[in-house]
């Protein structure tokens, strides 16, 4: 774990451009990244080492669900006693099924993103694991029925047209998998697939030789398996950056209602609200739409709401909250400055009632260079 006293990294234009490249293609080679930015690949590799070693930016690989009709991604609102809130947040952040933990304003203390095998598993998670945590007063659960966009697709958008062209001279060539659309006839994930994905959760840019060492497989098997997971859309890679350093430090949640048949409102939210990071169709309460919107400052929040009212007049805003602090973001525990300090394996296939025990520390992957 990094020392909390470690000096913070100040991002310059090259850092932001590199992060933007990795948002688009998280496993691009140093050579391709260097060509896109017209910088020596060694310099690019050194820059990324600086960003990742300080927890300022990181790349994560995770599964796109269980690939069964009943698989569940849910948003859980948690009410808890004020004196226990921080302890509860840290305890839940150590659980493998809890992908994200946020301390938020408004009518709930914490917001969780939870992924489990099916609704029966979600019931067990809520009734046996979550209910057993002292200090939790109440929970409200919303099942995600459709993902329009997630933070996986978010980009800083600092690259110019020529840089984008150099990054991908052949359109469509990318490892940015995980849109949720699976190739017809694809097989279910087996134990080897799951093992690989858990390793990628620790380091989404892990070299093939390191993945082979961690899994006990040959490099050729790892290459074939990983290519297959990407082709099938079974794994998503994302590059995250500490929000205070990104230029978009404010995160807003909008709980709303829109006619399920109103595709125009959804398209407007995705195209015309520039800070939209998350747009989910949810079920389980009065709201049926959850929006996650990034802003550059607190002063922009009223402007964001005004733009929503102007661009999407058929969206009814039922509630709103702001993220005061991210305790965990998609498998990464964060410090008070939003930097990654440790990864928690997102073992969404495990028994949700065993979450009450903190998972073991992950085995560090090697740092062998990628060709």
């Amino acid at each position: 774990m990094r020392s909390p006293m470690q000096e913070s990294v100040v991002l310059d234009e090259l850092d932001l451009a590199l992060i933007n490249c990795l948002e688009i293609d998280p496993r691009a080679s140093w050579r391709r990244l260097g060509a896109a930015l017209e910088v020596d690949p060694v310099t690019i590799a050194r820059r990324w080492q600086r960003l990742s070693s300080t927890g300022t930016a990181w790349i994560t690989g995770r599964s796109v669900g269980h690939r069964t009709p009943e698989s569940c991604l849910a948003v859980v609102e948690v009410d808890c006693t004020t004196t226990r809130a921080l302890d509860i947040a840290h305890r839940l952040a150590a659980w493998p099924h809890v992908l994200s933990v946020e301390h938020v304003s408004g009518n709930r203390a914490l917001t969780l993103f939870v992924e489990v095998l099916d609704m029966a598993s979600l019931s067990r998670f809520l009734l046996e694991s979550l209910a057993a945590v002292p200090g939790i007063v109440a929970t409200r659960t919303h099942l995600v029925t459709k993902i329009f966009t997630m933070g996986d697709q978010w980009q800083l958008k600092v690259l110019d047209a020529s840089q984008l062209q150099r990054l991908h001279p052949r359109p469509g060539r990318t490892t940015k998998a995980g849109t949720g659309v699976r190739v017809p006839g694809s097989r279910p994930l087996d134990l080897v697939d799951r093992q690989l994905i858990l390793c990628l959760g620790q380091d989404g840019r892990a070299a093939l030789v390191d993945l082979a060492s961690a899994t006990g497989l040959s490099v050729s098997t790892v290459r074939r398996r990983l290519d297959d997971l990407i082709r099938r859309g079974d794994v998503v890679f994302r590059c995250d950056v500490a929000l205070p350093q990104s230029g978009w430090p404010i995160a807003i949640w909008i709980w709303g209602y829109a006619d399920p048949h109103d595709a125009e409102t959804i398209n407007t939210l995705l195209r015309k609200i520039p800070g939209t990071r998350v747009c989910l169709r949810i079920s389980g309460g009065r709201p049926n739409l959850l929006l996650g919107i990034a802003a550059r400052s607190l002063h922009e929040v009223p402007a964001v709401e005004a733009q929503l009212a102007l661009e999407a007049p058929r969206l009814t805003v039922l509630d709103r909250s702001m993220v005061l602090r991210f305790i965990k973001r998609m498998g990464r525990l964060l410090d008070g400055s939003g930097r990654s300090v440790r990864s928690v394996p997102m073992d969404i296939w495990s028994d949700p009632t065993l979450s009450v025990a903190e998972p073991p520390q992950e085995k560090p992957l090697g740092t062998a260079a990628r060709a």
Side-chain angles (χ1 to χ4, degrees):
M1 182 179 295
R2 275 186 308 104
S3 167
M5 299 301 291
Q6 186 166 358
E7 183 181 353
S8 179
V9 173
V10 177
L11 303 184
D12 60 21
E13 291 184 3
L14 180 56
D15 292 324
L16 293 172
L18 172 57
I19 291 168
N20 197 173
C21 284
L22 290 168
E23 288 171 336
I24 297 169
D25 195 343
R27 286 185 62 86
S29 68
W30 302 129
R31 185 178 296 108
R32 183 179 301 156
L33 295 168
L37 301 177
E38 297 183 305
V39 176
D40 184 80
V42 174
T43 299
I44 292 296
R46 187 168 59 246
R47 286 278 183 146
W48 178 250
Q49 174 62 25
R50 171 174 162 267
L51 293 173
S52 60
S53 65
T54 58
T56 305
W58 59 94
I59 292 174
T60 304
R62 64 179 176 84
S63 171
V64 184
H66 297 277
R67 295 312 192 187
T68 64
E70 302 85 12
S71 62
C72 287
L73 177 65
V75 180
V76 181
E77 301 174 79
V78 177
D79 297 336
C80 52
T81 57
T82 303
T83 56
R84 300 296 300 272
L86 183 59
D87 288 341
I88 291 170
H90 286 310
R91 180 172 179 175
L92 300 183
W95 292 2
H97 299 86
V98 179
L99 307 185
S100 297
V101 179
E102 302 163 3
H103 180 213
V104 296
S105 67
N107 297 323
R108 73 285 297 166
L110 305 173
T111 299
L112 316 178
F113 274 81
V114 176
E115 189 160 10
V116 291
L117 179 62
D118 51 30
M119 286 194 288
S121 297
L122 182 60
S123 176
R124 293 174 63 206
F125 174 85
L126 295 170
L127 295 177
E128 299 179 44
S129 294
L130 209 55
V133 178
I136 290 182
V137 176
T139 64
R140 291 173 296 280
T141 303
H142 310 264
L143 294 174
V144 177
T145 58
K146 186 175 179 62
I147 298 173
F148 297 105
T149 191
M150 286 274 280
D152 311 326
Q153 287 80 45
W154 172 260
Q155 293 183 33
L156 295 177
K157 295 184 178 179
V158 299
L159 299 179
D160 59 34
S162 62
Q163 290 171 323
L164 289 169
Q165 173 62 25
R166 289 193 296 270
L167 180 63
H168 287 304
R170 288 183 284 172
R173 183 177 180 180
T174 178
T175 58
K176 188 76 173 182
T179 59
V181 179
R182 197 180 190 208
V183 176
S186 295
R187 61 174 175 78
L189 298 178
D190 62 20
L191 291 176
V192 174
D193 294 326
R194 297 174 187 180
Q195 190 180 11
L196 269 176
I197 292 172
L198 289 177
C199 289
L200 291 166
Q202 183 181 341
D203 179 6
R205 280 189 63 84
L208 295 179
V209 65
D210 296 322
L211 292 172
S213 175
T215 59
L217 302 171
S218 68
V219 172
S220 61
T221 298
V222 168
R223 180 184 292 107
R224 175 175 53 80
R225 286 278 190 158
L226 182 55
D227 287 346
D228 195 35
L229 288 170
I230 293 172
R231 179 186 60 81
R232 285 159 32 197
D234 281 330
V235 62
V236 58
F237 295 96
R238 58 184 282 161
C239 178
D240 282 298
V241 58
L243 292 186
Q245 308 252 42
S246 71
W248 298 83
I250 307 300
I252 311 160
W253 286 113
I254 301 292
W255 302 77
Y257 179 86
D259 188 322
H261 304 292
D262 184 7
E264 182 182 349
T265 292
I266 301 299
N267 290 333
T268 296
L269 293 172
L270 298 179
R271 289 186 296 106
K272 295 188 177 181
I273 309 298
T276 300
R277 286 180 60 100
V278 179
C279 183
L280 306 173
R281 180 75 69 188
I282 58 176
S283 179
R286 190 181 174 199
N288 71 351
L289 203 64
L290 181 60
L291 301 175
I293 301 176
R296 295 185 180 278
S297 72
L298 281 173
H299 303 294
E300 283 190 4
V301 175
V304 168
E305 296 194 12
Q307 188 177 17
L308 277 173
L310 176 65
E311 301 288 358
R314 292 196 291 271
L315 172 69
T316 301
V317 175
L318 301 175
D319 197 3
R320 58 188 61 76
S321 63
M322 298 184 62
V323 178
L324 305 177
R325 177 183 171 189
F326 286 92
I327 309 295
K328 183 181 186 181
R329 282 177 64 195
M330 283 299 167
R332 294 293 180 126
L333 302 182
L334 308 184
D335 66 13
S337 299
R339 296 175 298 183
S340 171
V341 295
R342 184 166 71 86
S343 67
V344 176
M346 291 180 282
D347 190 359
I348 60 177
W349 305 279
S350 61
D351 185 341
T353 62
L354 299 181
S355 299
V356 292
E358 186 166 341
Q361 294 285 331
E362 68 275 5
K363 175 185 176 183
L365 290 173
T367 57
R370 184 179 296 102

